[in-house]
């Protein structure tokens, strides 16, 4: 199957996962209006996050123009002219190449300049949002459902099942996460899906731990006990009463994990095993560019600002989400 | 006789739900405690008793704040004092013990060290001297095997012993006034009686005045010389114990007394006050007790009653006393 | 107490076994030995060379079950050698791994010990200061700065530090290392500085939360009612109590002392364990990487057990239970 089709499907699945998550959340005791309060508490960060999300989604929907076109192009790609490349570096808004001074194909049109291969930096930076969304979305899609399932089942049934899950948890948790991540990527091989799988393996532990601990608590609550006494099946109680009531903790954990995921990918890129097109890769290239004379900074600058903006927005919104949804429990659980 | 503690028009507020609003949880409270006297401050849970006590010591937790009023100790104003001056009063002239002995002691410090700290904070004493004093305090508050207990950590002591440690911490600075915020609520009934007896004996021995906060009228009967009844942030009735408990004039005090199990006659249903204390942001206009009051009149729902002086140094805040 | 420690020790042993089994699955069962060989020898290596490489590295034996000689399996080999710290030779250049690790420990500790010794007290002190000024502009400003600082990728700290302090200001050599202590100091200063700076934001914020949580507790109110001042309350009451959560947070970062900061070391050219790991990644050296992961986990587990012992010392409540 072609990559752009896979990506389209992955994005659709991520968005669907988001919708399901929100639907589960609305069934919980914690009301919807609390979530609405986040936008009011952190208007700028929420707006910024929405923008990143929009760019990422727009850049994920791509198609081929007729059979003759070589590459499928996304909506964001279509904001730029078709052959929007130079031969090598050009400074922002420059009319000539940075080295040598040969005239550019698109003089004054590259707002943020071009990189060593002549690609437009603004275009590249926008494309990084898609990779970030892929990292967050695909990883969560892989990690969260399984983590909740194992955590809830372990917490609910206890005994051998719980012992097994707990053993798994403490085993994975005891491997320093960067080393585990690197080892996984090495063995699985590089590529977007492989990196996301590796990130999922390192990040599912916290989701599973939270679900398990909260299930242990919920199990003792009156209404859950009542449902048991009324003869509801295990599956029904778990789905109707337990899972919805721990979703808010999962959401908080997700928001707090997301920035870690994106930052980890940047480190992987730096180590040469990241995802193509990520901001981490752009920063990695800047290692050489800072050593040049004169220094080339726009590539690094664009990637850094884009990465910093996203992480900052996520951190700010994450704080608000935690305050609104749950001021205390999470710290007790961890 | 001049008062040891005189609180006038004390207002303490917390931020309301709407931004920029503040809600009084203690509202224009007046209290007087004479030297050597025991005043009981009584009221249902949430009516502002603890906040009144903390306001006296300027210990109201943030975001709460004392908004208005005066707190005078032996005639000297405490409000607005700089932090260092306040520190010299806390523990040395006014000491306080709290409702939860279990959490009120530092869990990672030996209790002996906590008592010695209270001594050393206000007097220059040698370590040996502080230790000797702490030992004497432990003996005075009836801690068995005090020598060994000095080295104990709080979690190794029972609730009653912890409260005795708290009392010895409070007495360490030889205060003139002891504020005891529900000192027995968290304890077993038998231990409650012992702690009350201890407080009574200490008051008799040292002449310390006591501001005792409680919602238990039985406790009031045991210790208090005078009683102040609080409802929804306000003092609604005040007077000598005999008159407030014997001939209560405010319908709320009457209701409180009727709902006491020990007062009920055998076979009779225990009376209760209908409804519940409204939250601080939902206080009705007029008399705050009116919605729950059996004898409420129209005026009660509109205008708040003034304090009406009654016989023998007593007062109550009820329209029914003026316009029967 | 003894029973408690024994329980923790058993937990540690079981977890180590779990880690070893996981590594066996990952590096021996999941990763195809032929792939490993091909990565080591190059894509176009002749089949005989690959077969020989597999024999040399012991990859030709049965993985889990050998009917003839039950102990002659790769699983048994893996477990026994890892437990005896007999790490064998690198997949990439056949050099003994253990010797290489020994040479890397010094430089790694040269970076991480000062990093730890400066970073931890510094962030604790800053957090204590910020918590001291809670609900004032200083506190709010402190939190904002922390969030900003922790939103910056460590890569940017490294690049920025090196560019600014090394290249523009020329305060420090840009990268490199010299085992001579006098010279080493010059080379280590920049990575340590950058490492401390990069960790400050999230550490200060976390410790501040811990301190604030403690300042809300009842025993703090008691201390104030005794007449203790703010500074005394913070240092004598809040700090010792906060050490309990701080200890568990710090224990999580100790393994990093030895595995080294991959990024700092590789970027600043310090030949420590972190650089060895990065080289292993670049050379597809699975054997070395497996050892590094194992040692990291081993250390983590050891520190967890040690922390449980330390708890009994910081927290009297644990002592007798
Ligand atoms: N931190 C706070 N923030 C907001 N409101 C508070 C806070 N602390 C106390 N209050 C409010 O102040 C009011 C008075 O509380 P206070 O603790 O003085 O009651 P109390 O009479 O001592 O009750 P109790 O018998 O339960 O101890 C309560 O209605 C409570 O809602
Ligand atoms: Mg109270």
């Amino acid at each position: 199957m072609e990559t752009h089709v896979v990506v389209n499907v992955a994005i659709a699945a991520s968005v669907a996962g988001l919708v399901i998550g929100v639907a589960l959340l609305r069934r919980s005791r914690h009301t919807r209006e609390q979530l609405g309060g986040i936008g009011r508490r952190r208007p700028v960060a929420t707006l910024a996050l929405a923008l990143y999300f929009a760019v990422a989604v727009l850049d994920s929907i791509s198609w081929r123009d007729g059979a003759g076109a070589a590459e499928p192009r996304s909506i964001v790609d279509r904001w730029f002219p078709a052959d929007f490349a130079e031969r090598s570096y050009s400074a922002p808004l420059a009319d000539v190449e940075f080295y040598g001074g040969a005239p550019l194909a698109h003089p004054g049109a590259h707002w943020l300049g071009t990189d060593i291969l002549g690609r437009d930096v603004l275009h590249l930076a926008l494309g990084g949002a898609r990779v970030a969304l892929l990292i967050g979305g695909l990883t969560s899609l892989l990690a969260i459902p399984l983590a909740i399932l194992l955590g809830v089942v372990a917490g609910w049934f206890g005994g051998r099942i719980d012992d097994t899950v707990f053993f798994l948890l403490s085993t994975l948790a005891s491997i320093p996460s960067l080393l585990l991540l690197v080892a996984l990527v090495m063995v699985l091989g590089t590529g977007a899906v492989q990196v996301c799988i590796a990130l999922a393996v390192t990040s599912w532990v916290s989701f599973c731990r939270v679900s398990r601990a909260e299930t242990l608590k919920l199990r003792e609550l009156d209404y859950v006990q009542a449902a048991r006494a009324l003869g509801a099946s295990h599956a029904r109680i778990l789905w109707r009463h337990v899972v919805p009531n721990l979703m808010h903790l999962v959401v908080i954990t997700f928001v707090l994990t997301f920035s870690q995921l994106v930052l980890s990918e940047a480190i992987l890129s730096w180590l040469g095993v990241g995802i193509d097109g990520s901001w981490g890769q752009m920063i990695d290239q800047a290692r050489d560019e800072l050593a040049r004379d004169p220094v080339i900074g726009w590539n690094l600058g664009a990637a850094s600002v884009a990465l910093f903006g996203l992480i900052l927005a996520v951190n700010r919104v994450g704080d608000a989400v935690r305050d609104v949804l749950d001021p205390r429990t999470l710290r007790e659980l961890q | 006789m001049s008062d040891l503690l005189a609180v006038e028009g004390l207002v303490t507020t917390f931020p309301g739900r709407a931004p920029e609003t503040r809600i009084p949880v203690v509202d224009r409270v007046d209290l007087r405690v004479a030297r050597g006297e025991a005043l009981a401050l009584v009221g249902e849970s949430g009516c502002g008793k603890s906040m009144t006590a903390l306001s006296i010591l300027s210990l109201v937790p943030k975001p709460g704040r004392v908004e208005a009023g005066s707190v005078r100790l032996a005639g000297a104003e405490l409000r607005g004092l700089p932090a260092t001056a306040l520190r010299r009063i806390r523990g040395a002239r006014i000491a306080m013990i709290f409702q939860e002995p279990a959490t009120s002691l530092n869990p990672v410090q030996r209790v002996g060290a906590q008592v010695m700290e209270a001594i050393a904070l206000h007097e220059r004493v040698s370590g040996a001297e502080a230790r000797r004093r702490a030992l004497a305090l432990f003996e005075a508050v009836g801690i068995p095997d005090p020598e060994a207990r000095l080295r104990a950590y709080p979690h190794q002591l029972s609730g009653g012993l912890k409260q005795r440690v708290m009392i010895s911490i409070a007495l360490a600075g030889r205060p003139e006034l002891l504020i005891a915020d529900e000192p027995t609520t968290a304890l077993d009934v038998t231990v409650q009686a012992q702690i009350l007896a201890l407080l009574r004996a200490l008051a008799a021995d040292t002449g310390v005045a006591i501001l005792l906060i409680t919602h238990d009228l039985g406790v009031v009967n045991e210790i208090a010389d005078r009683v102040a009844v609080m409802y929804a942030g306000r003092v609604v009735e005040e007077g000598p114990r005999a008159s407030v408990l014997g001939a209560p004039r405010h319908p709320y005090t009457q209701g409180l007394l009727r709902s006491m199990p020990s007062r009920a006659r055998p076979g009779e249903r225990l009376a209760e006050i209908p409804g519940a204390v409204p939250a601080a942001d939902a206080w009705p206009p007029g008399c705050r007790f009116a919605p729950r009051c059996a004898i409420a009149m129209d005026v009660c729902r509109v205008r708040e009653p003034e304090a009406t002086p009654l016989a023998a140094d007593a007062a109550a805040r009820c329209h029914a006393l003026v316009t029967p | 107490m003894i029973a408690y420690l024994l329980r923790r020790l058993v937990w540690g042993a079981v977890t180590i076994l779990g880690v070893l089994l996981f590594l066996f699955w990952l590096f021996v069962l999941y990763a195809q030995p032929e792939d490993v060989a091909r990565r080591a020898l190059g894509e176009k290596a002749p089949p005989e060379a690959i077969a020989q490489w597999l024999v040399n590295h012991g990859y030709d034996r049965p993985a889990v079950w050998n009917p003839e000689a039950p102990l002659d399996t790769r699983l048994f080999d893996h477990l026994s050698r890892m437990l005896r710290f007999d790490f064998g030779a690198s997949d990439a250049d056949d050099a003994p791994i253990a010797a290489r690790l020994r040479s890397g420990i010094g430089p790694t500790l040269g970076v991480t010990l000062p990093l730890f010794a400066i970073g931890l007290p510094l962030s604790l002190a800053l957090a204590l200061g910020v918590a001291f000024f809670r609900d004032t502009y200083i506190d709010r400003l402190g939190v904002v700065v922390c969030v900003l600082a922790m939103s910056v990728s460590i890569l940017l700290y490294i690049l920025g530090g090196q560019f600014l302090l090394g290249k523009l200001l020329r305060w420090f050599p840009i990268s490199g290392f010299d085992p001579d202590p006098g010279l080493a100091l010059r080379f280590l200063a920049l990575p340590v500085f950058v490492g401390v700076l990069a960790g400050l934001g999230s550490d200060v914020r976390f410790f501040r939360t811990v301190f604030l949580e403690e300042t809300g507790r009842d025993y703090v109110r008691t201390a104030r009612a005794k007449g203790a001042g703010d500074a005394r309350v913070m240092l004598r009451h809040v700090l010792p109590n906060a050490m309990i959560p701080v200890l568990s947070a710090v224990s999580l970062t100790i393994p990093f002392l030895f595995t080294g900061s991959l990024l700092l070391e590789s970027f600043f050219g310090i030949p420590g364990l972190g650089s060895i790991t990065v080289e292993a990644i670049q050379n597809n050296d699975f054997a070395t990487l497996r050892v590094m992961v194992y040692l990291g986990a081993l250390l983590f587990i050891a520190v967890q057990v040690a922390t449980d012992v330390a708890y009994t010392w910081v927290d009297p409540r644990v002592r007798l239970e």
Side-chain angles (χ1 to χ4, degrees):
Chain A
M1 215 172 4
E2 284 186 274
T3 343
H4 73 278
V5 181
V6 177
V7 172
N8 284 355
V9 171
I11 292 295
S14 302
V15 174
L18 204 70
V19 171
I20 292 175
V22 170
L24 280 176
L25 202 64
R26 283 177 51 177
R27 289 226 311 264
S28 92
R29 280 174 292 150
H30 302 263
T31 53
R32 205 158 37 109
E33 78 194 47
Q34 283 177 315
L35 271 183
I38 292 162
R40 254 170 285 127
R41 280 174 173 230
R42 297 268 187 274
V44 180
T46 311
L47 185 69
L49 217 51
L51 277 178
Y52 275 102
F53 187 76
V55 169
V57 170
L58 291 181
D59 197 29
S60 304
I61 306 168
S62 57
W63 64 93
R64 216 185 277 277
D65 302 311
E71 288 288 315
R73 297 175 71 217
S74 71
I75 295 175
V76 170
D77 291 338
R78 288 160 204 274
W79 294 349
F80 297 89
D83 267 316
F84 201 48
E86 308 300 334
R87 276 194 308 278
S88 182
Y89 289 116
S90 78
L93 297 175
D95 294 328
V96 294
E97 277 183 21
F98 194 66
Y99 294 115
L104 291 182
H106 304 270
H110 299 288
W111 292 358
L112 300 180
T114 61
D115 74 349
I116 187 166
L117 298 176
R119 292 174 297 185
D120 184 72
V121 168
L122 177 61
H123 191 176
L124 289 175
L126 289 177
R130 184 181 63 94
V131 179
L133 180 69
L134 189 69
I135 294 165
L138 189 54
T139 305
S140 316
L141 221 55
L142 293 170
I144 295 181
L146 193 66
I148 295 181
L149 182 72
L150 283 181
V152 165
V153 166
W156 184 257
F157 293 106
R160 285 278 162 74
I161 304 178
D162 191 29
D163 290 343
T164 312
V165 171
F166 192 76
F167 172 67
L168 216 60
L169 279 180
S170 48
T171 298
L172 281 182
S174 61
I175 304 176
S177 60
L178 186 55
L179 281 175
L180 177 59
L181 198 55
V182 165
L184 283 166
V185 176
M186 289 284 297
V187 174
L188 298 175
T190 47
V193 177
Q194 285 88 336
V195 169
C196 286
I197 291 176
L199 286 169
V201 173
T202 53
S203 61
W204 80 285
V205 171
S206 49
F207 291 102
C208 189
R209 208 179 260 169
V210 163
S211 314
R212 175 177 170 273
E214 188 67 10
T215 305
L216 283 174
K217 268 201 210 160
L218 289 170
R219 194 167 68 167
E220 304 305 325
L221 291 188
D222 287 344
Y223 72 98
V224 177
Q225 294 287 351
R228 267 177 111 166
L230 288 174
S233 72
H234 287 299
R236 186 183 160 81
I237 299 175
L238 291 183
W239 182 246
R240 301 283 313 184
H241 298 296
V242 175
V243 173
N245 286 318
L246 50 80
M247 277 314 284
H248 68 288
L249 293 178
V250 173
V251 169
I252 300 170
T253 313
F254 168 72
V255 182
L256 298 182
T257 315
F258 182 82
S259 51
Q260 288 311 313
L261 292 178
V262 177
L263 290 175
S264 297
E265 192 282 334
I267 293 176
L268 288 181
S269 287
W270 180 274
L271 297 174
V273 288
I275 299 179
D276 278 341
S278 73
W279 292 315
Q281 274 195 343
M282 294 173 73
I283 294 173
D284 182 38
Q285 281 183 10
R287 281 205 255 191
D288 304 329
E289 293 168 357
L290 284 183
R292 288 176 201 279
D293 196 30
V295 168
I296 287 171
W298 50 87
N299 197 11
L300 172 67
S304 312
V305 169
L307 179 61
F308 173 72
L310 176 64
I311 302 298
L312 184 61
V314 171
N315 280 342
R316 297 282 291 166
V317 170
D319 281 354
V321 169
R322 181 172 44 191
D323 289 351
V324 165
L325 285 186
D326 187 292
R328 285 208 69 86
T329 338
L330 208 69
R331 277 209 40 160
E332 285 167 17
L333 291 180
Q334 280 171 346
Chain B
M1 184 178 61
S2 77
D3 291 322
L4 173 66
L5 177 78
V7 175
E8 268 164 35
L10 185 71
V11 181
T12 299
T13 61
F14 275 93
R17 212 166 293 166
E20 306 296 316
T21 60
R22 293 193 72 88
I23 292 167
V25 297
V26 174
D27 196 5
R28 289 163 286 161
V29 162
D30 303 331
L31 291 174
R32 286 176 297 118
V33 185
R35 280 186 194 280
E37 182 186 66
L39 170 71
L41 184 60
V42 201
E44 278 171 279
S45 192
C47 70
K49 306 182 298 289
S50 297
M51 287 306 146
T52 306
L54 292 171
S55 306
I56 292 172
L57 282 173
S58 299
L59 284 176
V60 178
K62 284 176 181 169
R65 149 174 109 210
V66 179
E67 208 79 38
S70 87
V71 177
R72 282 197 303 277
L73 182 68
E77 179 64 51
L78 299 189
R79 274 202 67 211
L81 276 188
T84 45
L86 269 175
R87 252 156 49 201
R88 278 198 290 275
I89 286 169
R90 291 183 197 139
R93 301 189 61 195
I94 307 180
M96 184 158 175
I97 54 184
F98 299 96
Q99 189 166 346
E100 290 287 340
T103 54
S104 294
L105 289 166
N106 185 340
V108 304
Q109 206 179 22
R110 296 177 197 275
V111 290
Q114 301 187 44
V115 180
M116 281 160 16
E117 181 186 29
I119 297 169
L121 274 169
H122 298 291
E123 287 171 66
R124 295 189 63 86
V125 291
S126 69
E129 169 69 6
R131 204 187 132 75
R132 202 190 52 71
R133 290 256 305 266
L135 197 64
L137 279 167
F138 270 24
E139 273 162 10
V141 299
I143 293 178
D145 195 5
E147 190 79 47
R149 291 283 157 57
L150 280 177
R151 286 193 309 276
Y153 286 97
H155 73 276
Q156 296 168 319
L157 304 179
S158 68
L161 278 185
K162 272 184 258 198
Q163 197 59 293
R164 283 173 198 266
V165 171
M166 283 298 296
I167 294 173
S168 59
I169 289 177
L171 295 178
R174 300 189 177 121
E176 297 153 63
L177 174 67
L178 177 65
I179 302 178
D181 187 359
E182 310 204 26
T184 59
T185 308
L187 304 176
D188 293 344
V189 185
T190 45
V191 185
Q192 281 187 10
Q194 292 166 8
I195 296 286
L196 286 179
L198 172 65
L199 284 176
R200 207 166 40 208
L202 290 171
D205 290 351
T206 62
V208 64
I210 295 181
L211 172 57
L212 178 84
I213 294 172
T214 180
H215 55 239
D216 183 348
L217 290 173
V219 172
V220 177
N221 236 342
E222 298 264 337
I223 304 198
D225 302 313
R226 293 164 45 77
V227 181
V229 182
M230 237 180 135
Y231 183 81
R234 303 226 61 184
V235 173
V236 293
E237 180 159 7
E238 202 206 335
R241 180 183 73 197
S243 72
V244 175
L245 297 192
R249 301 299 299 275
H250 195 283
Y252 175 63
T253 319
Q254 291 164 355
L256 270 186
L257 279 167
R258 267 201 303 278
S259 62
M260 260 181 75
S262 56
R263 296 262 167 147
R265 278 178 227 116
E268 198 181 48
R269 263 204 72 180
L270 211 55
E272 56 181 56
I273 308 174
V277 195
D281 53 359
W283 284 339
C287 174
R288 286 173 192 165
F289 186 59
R292 301 172 72 190
C293 181
I295 58 165
M297 304 167 290
D298 287 343
V299 62
C300 299
R301 301 197 175 82
V302 190
R303 194 162 51 78
E304 188 164 33
E306 300 292 321
T308 310
L310 306 164
D313 199 20
R317 201 177 278 283
C318 180
H319 284 301
L321 296 175
V322 201
T323 46
Chain C
M1 162 106 181
I2 302 281
Y4 170 73
L5 286 182
L6 271 180
R7 237 186 10 251
R8 297 305 291 164
L9 280 175
V10 170
W11 170 84
V14 169
T15 314
I16 290 172
L17 194 67
V19 170
L20 282 175
L21 289 176
F22 173 76
L23 289 178
F24 180 75
W25 172 80
L26 186 67
F27 282 104
V28 182
L29 294 186
Y30 188 89
Q32 295 294 313
E34 287 76 17
D35 284 345
V36 182
R38 219 167 287 126
R39 289 197 208 182
L41 298 174
E43 282 299 329
K44 299 186 202 72
E48 310 84 66
I50 288 184
Q52 187 58 45
W53 189 93
L54 289 177
V55 173
N56 287 351
H57 288 82
Y59 283 114
D60 58 331
R61 288 173 298 157
V64 186
W65 178 237
N66 184 350
E68 282 114 59
L71 293 188
D72 188 21
T73 61
R74 275 179 282 160
L75 176 61
F76 181 79
D77 195 47
H78 165 76
L79 292 181
S80 70
R81 290 201 5 213
M82 286 292 160
L83 289 174
R84 281 183 290 126
F85 295 104
D86 169 12
F87 297 138
S90 148
D91 276 349
D93 57 6
D94 290 321
I97 295 174
R100 186 174 288 171
L101 294 185
R102 265 195 298 279
S103 75
I105 288 179
T108 289
L109 290 181
V111 181
T112 50
L113 275 185
L115 187 58
F116 196 67
I118 298 171
L120 183 64
L122 186 63
S123 41
L124 276 176
L126 284 176
L128 205 59
V130 174
F132 185 83
F133 290 105
R134 65 191 167 280
D135 294 323
T136 66
Y137 282 100
I138 298 178
D139 178 32
R140 250 162 270 158
L141 187 73
V143 173
V144 170
V145 171
C146 283
V147 175
L148 288 176
M150 63 191 266
S151 300
V152 177
S153 162
I154 177 147
L155 308 181
L156 296 175
Y157 280 106
I158 295 177
L159 282 175
Q162 189 174 46
F163 185 72
L164 211 70
L165 302 178
K167 194 170 175 192
L168 286 189
L169 299 174
R170 294 172 186 279
W171 287 356
F172 305 105
I174 287 182
S175 82
F177 186 73
D178 193 309
D180 179 65
L183 289 172
L185 213 61
R186 275 182 55 73
F187 284 110
L188 293 177
L190 186 55
V192 168
F193 177 80
V194 168
V196 167
L197 203 65
L200 222 48
S202 56
D203 284 358
V204 170
R205 201 171 88 118
F206 171 72
F207 293 145
R208 169 188 171 273
T209 318
V210 170
F211 287 139
L212 283 189
E213 208 147 284
E214 287 299 324
T215 46
R217 300 216 190 270
D218 285 351
Y219 69 83
V220 172
R221 194 179 54 188
T222 306
R224 291 183 180 285
K226 280 192 218 176
D230 282 338
R232 189 183 179 86
V233 167
M234 273 291 176
L235 293 175
R236 280 304 193 61
H237 295 278
V238 171
L239 190 59
N241 276 283
M243 283 326 280
I244 297 163
V246 167
L247 183 68
S248 42
V250 167
S251 76
L252 295 179
T253 64
I254 286 184
F256 148 92
L257 278 185
F258 291 86
T259 53
S261 166
L262 301 186
L263 302 172
L264 284 176
E265 281 186 19
S266 71
F267 198 82
F268 288 105
I270 293 159
L273 301 178
S275 291
I276 295 175
T277 312
V278 173
E279 269 163 40
I281 297 168
Q282 275 147 7
N283 298 333
N284 282 304
D285 183 351
F286 281 33
T288 304
L289 196 59
R290 178 177 58 169
V291 170
M292 292 305 303
V293 177
Y294 167 61
L295 287 181
L298 195 63
L299 211 69
F300 182 90
I301 293 163
V303 168
Q304 290 308 300
V305 174
T307 312
D308 291 331
V309 180
Y311 267 140
T312 62
W313 169 59
V314 177
D315 187 350
R317 282 163 294 187
V318 183
R319 219 167 282 175
L320 295 176
E321 279 148 25

